[in-house]
Amino acid sequence: MPDDSRHSAPRRYGIETRTVHAGTTPDPTTGARNMPIYQTTAYVFDDVDHAASLFNLQTFGYIYSRLTNPTVAALEERIANLEGGRGAVAAASGHSAQLLAFFTLMEPGDEFIASRNLYGGSVTQFTHSFRKFGWKAIFVDPREPENFRKALTPKCKAIFVEGLANPGGIVLDLEPIAAIARKAAIPLIVDNTMATPYLCRPFDWGADLVVHSTTKFLSGHGTSMGGCVVESGRFDWGKGGKFPGMTQPDPAYHGLNFAETFGDFAYTMKTRAVGLRDLGPAMAPMNAFFTLTGMETLHLRMERHVANAQRVAEFLENHPAVAWVSYAGLKSSPFYKLARKYLPKGAGSVFTFGVKGGYEAGVKAVEGVELFSHVANIGDTRSLIIHPASTTHRQLTEEQQVKAGAGPDVVRLSIGIETVDDLIADLDQALRAAMPARPAKKKSRQPA
Ligand SMILES: *Cc1c(COP(=O)(O)O)cnc(C)c1O
């Protein structure tokens, strides 16, 4: 595994230096030290030949901000750098990044295997909206890597997982899953939103593509929607013959062969030149600026996020109103060992716990907090709380809720970077007020 602190010539900067500097240099025209917001839709061509070579992808440069924009490009380069990838394409949101990621890989009738432990919105996107493109998602229990191999079909074009799964507490064994994907000659796509490249770099464990909702920890302040697809540059598109869109002449690009022409960043080029061009979910330059600014403190924020989350989880584990806590940083977690391996700097800051007293106590706890904000978001500097059964998952049956890790007693936290004792005091008073008059006899079930 590459070590950020290892010094060699030429010097490879540490991840802290790269979160501050990667992708940005002083503006060549004005000397502006911070990355300007290039709030423009179009760019002047030198002449007709220059325009033609840009349109033919023979020259790199700016044409139109649906495809490329200097502020967005700086963010793409920074994220690719932190992930250890070859290239990246930013998008308007995490969900549009996922759409772009699959659009480059899939043909109508194709399938992919997805972990069933995903952000709820991703399950809905894969199950319902992707079907309209003729793409089928096959969901498996990700805790046993063999389940991915067993679910493989000849039409499978990818495996999609969250390494650290939302709502948290579940850590996947990425290495054997990557080996299964490699053997099947299909890419492993890891949604690294919850861990961020500060806590985990999926490419180090064999992943081929990484997607992000930059809306969360990367931008970090709950100000800007955004997403990103990152390419490792190591996937062999020709092996197995499964990706004609990459290896055969592209009719939408006058016969251009992306894999031959662009080599180890062919996926990035195709995702931008076809996916982003034709579907159109470009990131706004303003949002790229906010995300770049937020990312400069990614390492400092993540350190505090995970330290606070660890303390809060330990506090909750010993609280009389709490039935169980699902945080991979706790020794009691079945994912503790995997977290030590894949997330040595901390198991993230989003996790769930169960309140004694079920649905009613869960609602009361969420309504009783003062410092925590009751919102559907995660990954803000502020601490956030939600009771999924009464909000995000309320349309499901109780059985479906329990399967999704959103049973009636489940409360989800996204721990911020405030004074940890203030967070603990706030949860303590809310939980005590929510406790049923008599202690509940039945122990609540921990979600699978
Ligand atoms: C929020 C989230 C998404 C979706 O991202 P948006 O920016 O909201 O579109 C995808 N995956 C994970 C893990 C998320 O937390």
Side-chain angles (χ1 to χ4, degrees):
M1 205 185 130
D3 176 2
D4 289 326
S5 62
R6 191 175 52 203
H7 300 167
S8 56
R11 186 182 177 85
R12 180 171 152 73
Y13 287 124
I15 194 158
E16 295 83 1
T17 304
R18 292 183 285 126
T19 61
V20 176
H21 288 281
T24 59
T25 48
D27 184 63
T29 313
T30 63
R33 186 61 192 88
N34 210 349
M35 188 68 206
I37 304 168
Y38 283 91
Q39 195 66 41
T40 182
T41 51
Y43 309 83
V44 176
F45 305 122
D46 297 344
D47 51 37
V48 171
D49 286 345
H50 176 228
S53 69
L54 284 170
F55 277 102
N56 288 341
L57 302 180
Q58 286 156 345
T59 301
F60 293 104
Y62 299 102
I63 301 175
Y64 189 58
S65 284
R66 172 153 34 81
L67 293 165
T68 43
N69 170 281
T71 316
V72 177
L75 176 65
E76 290 166 340
E77 197 179 325
R78 183 170 296 172
I79 296 174
N81 180 302
L82 294 188
E83 287 288 2
R86 182 68 177 90
V89 179
S93 64
H95 265 15
S96 56
Q98 290 172 188
L99 173 59
L100 290 176
F102 281 102
F103 190 73
T104 302
L105 302 174
M106 307 282 283
E107 301 293 331
D110 280 348
E111 302 174 343
F112 65 98
I113 306 171
S115 161
R116 71 171 194 199
N117 292 99
L118 298 178
Y119 173 71
S122 300
V123 175
T124 308
Q125 182 190 44
F126 293 175
T127 307
H128 300 290
S129 290
F130 275 15
R131 202 158 47 192
K132 297 192 173 184
F133 291 85
W135 309 337
K136 186 177 162 205
I138 300 162
F139 290 97
V140 300
D141 180 346
R143 291 171 297 177
E144 179 47 65
E146 270 300 291
N147 290 345
F148 290 94
R149 194 185 55 74
K150 286 186 200 146
L152 281 169
T153 70
K155 288 178 178 173
C156 272
K157 294 296 168 70
I159 292 177
F160 185 98
V161 302
E162 290 175 17
L164 173 62
N166 189 333
I170 296 182
V171 180
L172 300 201
D173 199 355
L174 289 177
E175 263 191 318
I177 299 171
I180 290 163
R182 197 174 316 122
K183 195 146 180 239
I186 58 175
L188 171 63
I189 309 172
V190 176
D191 180 339
N192 200 29
T193 300
M194 299 273 287
T196 81
Y198 182 70
L199 298 180
C200 177
R201 277 179 307 284
F203 293 153
D204 292 347
W205 305 108
D208 303 291
L209 300 170
V210 162
V211 294
H212 276 285
S213 167
T214 63
T215 312
K216 313 290 169 50
F217 292 101
L218 290 186
S219 72
H221 298 70
T223 60
S224 312
M225 299 296 300
C228 197
V229 191
V230 193
E231 167 179 32
S232 72
R234 293 197 297 257
F235 190 80
D236 182 351
W237 298 103
K239 189 183 159 206
K242 294 190 173 176
F243 300 96
M246 295 293 295
T247 57
Q248 284 173 21
D250 190 332
Y253 247 102
H254 33 77
L256 185 70
N257 180 321
F258 277 85
E260 247 172 40
T261 309
F262 299 110
D264 64 357
F265 62 104
Y267 177 89
T268 300
M269 288 300 289
K270 175 114 190 180
T271 300
R272 183 185 309 287
V274 179
L276 200 52
R277 182 192 66 178
D278 295 348
L279 300 175
M283 180 185 272
M286 179 78 93
N287 282 15
F289 173 82
F290 280 130
T291 306
L292 278 167
T293 306
M295 276 182 74
E296 289 176 10
T297 54
L298 177 71
H299 50 301
L300 299 174
R301 286 185 287 107
M302 292 313 290
E303 258 176 31
R304 183 61 62 88
H305 275 300
V306 296
N308 281 0
Q310 184 72 34
R311 280 278 311 278
V312 171
E314 284 166 7
F315 164 78
L316 289 173
E317 195 168 44
N318 295 311
H319 198 281
V322 172
W324 52 265
V325 180
S326 176
Y327 182 60
L330 293 175
K331 290 222 172 74
S332 59
S333 164
F335 303 101
Y336 181 76
K337 262 179 80 179
L338 286 171
R340 296 301 308 153
K341 172 172 177 179
Y342 292 104
L343 302 153
K345 292 184 199 165
S349 91
V350 179
F351 63 93
T352 51
F353 69 94
V355 283
K356 291 178 184 164
Y359 188 92
E360 211 175 303
V363 169
K364 268 196 194 158
V366 166
E367 286 180 344
V369 290
E370 283 160 16
L371 190 54
F372 278 75
S373 304
H374 183 196
V375 298
N377 191 22
I378 59 165
D380 197 319
T381 49
R382 282 156 280 267
S383 289
L384 315 173
I385 189 167
I386 198 162
H387 179 234
S390 63
T391 53
T392 51
H393 291 67
R394 72 175 300 142
Q395 73 284 6
L396 304 185
T397 65
E398 186 171 327
E399 196 196 330
Q400 286 175 318
Q401 288 176 344
V402 170
K403 263 203 174 144
D409 63 333
V410 176
V411 173
R412 184 186 79 188
L413 301 177
S414 174
I415 300 298
I417 59 175
E418 304 98 325
T419 306
V420 69
D421 290 332
D422 293 340
L423 302 177
I424 287 172
D426 192 29
L427 288 172
D428 187 39
Q429 63 80 20
L431 284 168
R432 286 185 191 281
M435 269 170 92
R438 276 172 291 126
K441 278 218 185 88
K442 212 174 82 192
K443 204 168 158 58
S444 313
R445 256 177 76 195
Q446 179 149 354

